[in-house]
Amino acid sequence: MSNRVSVLLFGITREIVGSSALTLDLPQTGQVGDLLLNLKERYPALNGLRSLLVAVNGEYAETDQRLRPNDEIALIPPVSGG
């Protein structure tokens, strides 16, 4: 049984992946850290980012947070400016 989640991509993550959103199937026991590993295997250029924040359903999440079916995940890349 899988856990289908939506991933929204912004900034450089959108450029790397080539899309503004993905739908992924993760193991039922998947966590944020599992999702990040999965994405970094599929898109190795993501490994070059210094930091990457993750939000689940609009709330910042740690890597050990469990993902549930239909969760909406946002990858928030570093922002520069001034």
Side-chain angles (χ1 to χ4, degrees):
M1 187 179 272
S2 68
N3 182 5
R4 182 165 284 188
V5 297
S6 298
V7 182
L8 303 177
L9 304 153
F10 300 95
I12 188 71
T13 61
R14 180 177 52 217
E15 292 175 27
I16 290 170
V17 172
S19 177
S20 61
L22 298 171
T23 300
L24 298 176
D25 288 318
L26 298 175
Q28 197 65 15
T29 58
Q31 298 179 335
V32 169
D34 300 323
L35 170 74
L36 290 173
L37 286 174
N38 181 306
L39 288 171
K40 288 177 179 181
E41 286 176 3
R42 289 181 188 213
Y43 306 99
L46 291 173
N47 289 302
L49 299 178
R50 288 180 325 170
S51 65
L52 188 61
L53 295 176
V54 179
V56 177
N57 300 321
E59 300 284 331
Y60 286 112
E62 298 294 328
T63 56
D64 62 351
Q65 181 171 328
R66 189 162 307 254
L67 296 172
R68 300 186 194 311
N70 302 313
D71 275 349
E72 183 179 78
I73 294 102
L75 297 187
I76 305 162
V79 177
S80 62

